[in-house]
Amino acid sequence: MDAAERTRQRVCRALLDDLDAGYGEVVREYGGVVHSVARALTRSAADAEDLTAEAFLRAYRALAGYPAERIAVLALRPWLLTVLRNTARNAARDAARRPAGPPRYEPTERELDPGPTALDDPADHAERAEAGRGLAALLARLPEAQRTAVVLRHALDLPIAEVAQVLRVGEGTAKSHVSRGLHRLRALVTAAGTEPGPDGEPAHRVLASGRRDR
Amino acid sequence: MTTDDTTTDTTDVDARLLAGLAGLATEAPAGLPDAVFARWVRVPSGLGDVYAAATAHGVQFLRPAGDAGLAGFTAAYRARFARPLVAAPRPPAGLLPALRGRPGRGPALDLTALTGFERAVLDATRRIPAGQARPYGWVAREAGSPGAVRAVGSVLARNPVPLLVPCHRVVRADGALGGYLFGAPEKERLLRAEGMDVDGVADLARRGVRYLASDTTTVVCFPTCRDARRITPRHRHGFGTLDEAVRAGFRPCRTCRPAGAA
C-alpha cells in the first residue's frame, strides 16, 4: 500500500468517526493539491482562493449525503479534484451568463505576478516568480483538459490513473492530454524565449505551426 | 554540430519546463479553514446556555443548548447551512456582552444565507431597543414591505440568531405578546428581564390603548417607547389608532416611529 492510499484511509476513517472534525483532516491533507489546480483554472490568486473554498464547501455538502459505505471507499483526492473542476465549470457558466463578463481562462497581470505570499522568502520568491509568471501565463493558453492534465501529472506528480479519474477519461486519453499539453507548452516556452514580449507574435506562430490538435 | 546544439537546447528546455511545472504546486491558502468551517461555542444567555455558530463573517446561528445538546445543534446547523462545524477556541468578539444584555452594536452577524427580505426584517428588528416592543406591522413597514405583516412573523419564527436579533421584542398590534420560537412564556420572561412593563402595556391594550401621547411635547409614541414612559399621568393621552392621535394634533415620535419613515 502506498503513502497516498494510507493517507486516504486515515482521512476516510476520520470522516466516518466525525464528519465535521474529519473534514478538518480533508482540508489539511488536500488543501494544497486542490488550490494548486484551482490556480490553473482561474485568472487571479483571489479567484483561486474563492474557487478552492467553494469546492471544499460543495464537497462537504456531497459527503453529508453519502452513506458510510461509500465514504469508506471514496478515492478522496481525485474525487475532490473532480468536484473542483465542476465548481470551476459552474462558476464559468455563471460568469458567462452575466453581461460583459471577462473571459474566464485568460491570465491577468495579477495571475502573472501574484505577489509574495506570507510563507515565501522574498529573494526566493523573486526568482521563482520570474520563472513561474511566464509558465503560468503560457499554461493558461492550453485547453482546460490539457492544462489540468499537465498540472496533475507534472506539478502534483499524480499517477496517470488518477489523472484519468479526474478528467473522467481512459488512461490512454489522459496520457495523450498530458503529452499534447506538454508538447504545446514546450513550443510556447521556446517561442517566448526566442523573442521578447509576453503576448508577442512568436508564440502564436509556433502554436499555429505546431502539431495538429483535435 | 547543429544537431547536437538542438538536442542540448531541447533537453534544457524540457528540464526547465518540468522544474517550472513542479514549482506550480502550492500550499493551501492561509485563509482556507476560515472560509470553509464555521465554529461553535457554548455560552450563557437570557435563555440559559446557548450554542452559537459563527463563520469568518459573523454569528450565523444561535439556539438554546436545551435537551438536544451539541448533537442536536450540529444537526440543525448542518440541515440549514450545510457547512462543517468545529469547536471555536473562544467566542466571537462582542457575543458575550451582547448576551449579557449590554447595550452596543453586538457581534458581527453573517446573514448571507438569507433572502433580501429576511435580512431587511432582521435589520429592522435589531433596531428595537431593550425593554421596548414594536408590532409586526411596524417591522414590515421598516423593512420596506408594509403589506408583509404575516411574512414578518414567518421570518422571525425562523430567526437564525434570536437574542442578537431581538425577535422577542416584536409583539402583536392588539397588545398581546404573540408567539416566540422558544415559546410565549420565554418571550414574556425576556421582556420582563429587560425592564418592560408587560402588565402596564397589557392594561392599556385591554382599554383599547395602543399609543400614548403627551400634551406637553405633543408627540405620540408606542407605549414602551423611552419617551412615552416619561409622560406623567396628568399629561398622558391614550389612543387606539395613530390616525386619531394625529387628528387630535399629535405628531408621531421620531424615536419609535409609529408612522414609519414618512
Side-chain angles (χ1 to χ4, degrees):
Chain A
M1 192 194 304
D2 66 357
E5 174 58 14
R6 273 197 301 277
T7 301
R8 185 199 74 79
Q9 290 189 5
R10 178 174 56 76
V11 176
C12 284
R13 269 197 305 274
L15 281 173
L16 290 171
D17 190 43
D18 179 331
L19 184 68
D20 292 39
Y23 207 66
E25 291 294 311
V26 175
V27 172
R28 243 189 313 281
E29 202 57 56
Y30 300 112
V33 168
V34 171
H35 184 223
S36 298
V37 179
R39 288 298 303 267
L41 296 177
T42 49
R43 289 171 295 116
S44 71
D47 282 356
E49 291 194 16
D50 289 349
L51 177 62
T52 304
E54 185 58 31
F56 273 111
L57 278 173
R58 281 176 59 130
Y60 172 81
R61 281 158 200 173
L63 281 178
Y66 285 2
E69 311 86 84
R70 179 157 183 200
I71 291 178
V73 299
L74 193 62
L76 272 172
R77 187 168 60 185
W79 178 76
L80 284 166
L81 292 169
T82 305
V83 172
L84 174 75
R85 282 184 85 215
N86 291 339
T87 309
R89 217 172 282 139
N90 288 346
R93 196 184 308 138
D94 291 349
R97 282 209 200 99
R98 267 177 247 126
R104 181 78 183 165
Y105 295 125
E106 215 158 277
T108 62
E109 277 309 308
R110 230 171 130 195
E111 165 75 14
L112 305 184
D113 184 11
T117 58
L119 296 169
D120 281 340
D121 170 49
D124 189 31
H125 171 79
E127 197 175 311
R128 275 192 292 126
E130 195 57 39
R133 94 204 276 170
L135 196 55
L138 297 176
L139 196 59
R141 296 193 190 171
L142 266 54
E144 194 269 335
Q146 288 181 12
R147 182 169 5 124
T148 302
V150 166
V151 169
L152 293 177
R153 186 73 195 95
H154 290 292
L156 300 172
D157 204 25
L158 259 54
I160 201 74
E162 210 169 314
V163 177
Q165 263 179 290
V166 175
L167 297 178
R168 292 184 180 283
V169 296
E171 288 192 22
T173 310
K175 266 186 206 157
S176 123
H177 279 316
V178 173
S179 67
R180 278 161 196 254
L182 213 50
H183 178 84
R184 199 158 183 173
L185 200 54
R186 188 190 295 123
L188 288 168
V189 167
T190 309
T194 51
E195 283 183 44
D199 278 315
E201 271 301 293
H204 296 297
R205 206 167 58 222
V206 171
L207 251 185
S209 64
R211 192 174 296 173
R212 184 174 52 85
D213 279 290
R214 52 185 184 116
Chain B
M1 171 134 180
T2 311
T3 316
D4 279 350
D5 276 355
T6 311
T7 310
T8 310
D9 277 356
T10 308
T11 312
D12 189 43
V13 167
D14 281 352
R16 278 191 296 129
L17 183 56
L18 292 177
L21 284 170
L24 293 180
T26 149
E27 300 289 312
L32 182 60
D34 277 348
V36 174
F37 289 89
R39 299 175 202 282
W40 65 265
V41 287
R42 181 177 173 136
V43 288
S45 81
L47 290 167
D49 272 12
V50 293
Y51 286 110
T55 68
H57 300 295
V59 180
Q60 195 176 27
F61 195 51
L62 182 148
R63 288 292 182 264
D67 301 332
L70 181 60
F73 179 73
T74 304
Y77 179 82
R78 187 185 295 165
R80 191 155 170 183
F81 297 99
R83 186 184 278 274
L85 184 62
V86 294
R90 68 192 74 79
L95 178 64
L96 290 173
L99 292 179
R100 259 187 240 120
R102 298 264 180 80
R105 285 182 46 223
L109 302 180
D110 181 350
L111 304 178
T112 47
L114 304 179
T115 65
F117 175 68
E118 288 171 326
R119 263 200 301 277
V121 166
L122 297 186
D123 283 346
T125 304
R126 210 181 183 191
R127 293 197 296 270
I128 307 172
Q132 303 189 26
R134 302 282 181 272
Y136 289 96
W138 178 89
V139 175
R141 207 170 46 222
E142 293 283 319
S145 308
V149 181
R150 275 169 187 282
V152 165
S154 309
V155 170
L156 294 182
R158 275 175 54 79
N159 182 1
V161 282
L163 300 177
L164 303 176
V165 169
C167 54
H168 60 278
R169 295 176 195 153
V170 183
V171 299
R172 279 170 39 175
D174 64 7
L177 294 183
Y180 187 46
L181 74 167
F182 309 121
E186 283 292 283
K187 187 175 195 171
E188 182 173 339
R189 206 175 52 70
L190 286 170
L191 288 172
R192 284 187 195 278
E194 289 179 354
M196 184 173 130
D197 180 9
V198 172
D199 302 316
V201 172
D203 271 351
L204 290 172
R206 260 194 298 280
R207 288 186 277 132
V209 174
R210 288 163 199 179
Y211 301 91
L212 290 178
S214 158
D215 59 26
T216 55
T217 61
T218 72
V219 166
V220 56
C221 300
F222 287 116
T224 57
C225 176
R226 189 172 45 101
D227 294 345
R229 283 182 288 172
R230 283 204 298 248
I231 309 171
T232 53
R234 209 152 61 84
H235 296 287
R236 197 165 77 172
H237 302 267
F239 292 95
T241 68
L242 192 65
D243 275 355
E244 289 171 44
V246 169
R247 276 201 300 275
F250 295 98
R251 162 180 78 72
C253 172
R254 289 200 184 96
T255 308
C256 67
R257 298 152 61 90

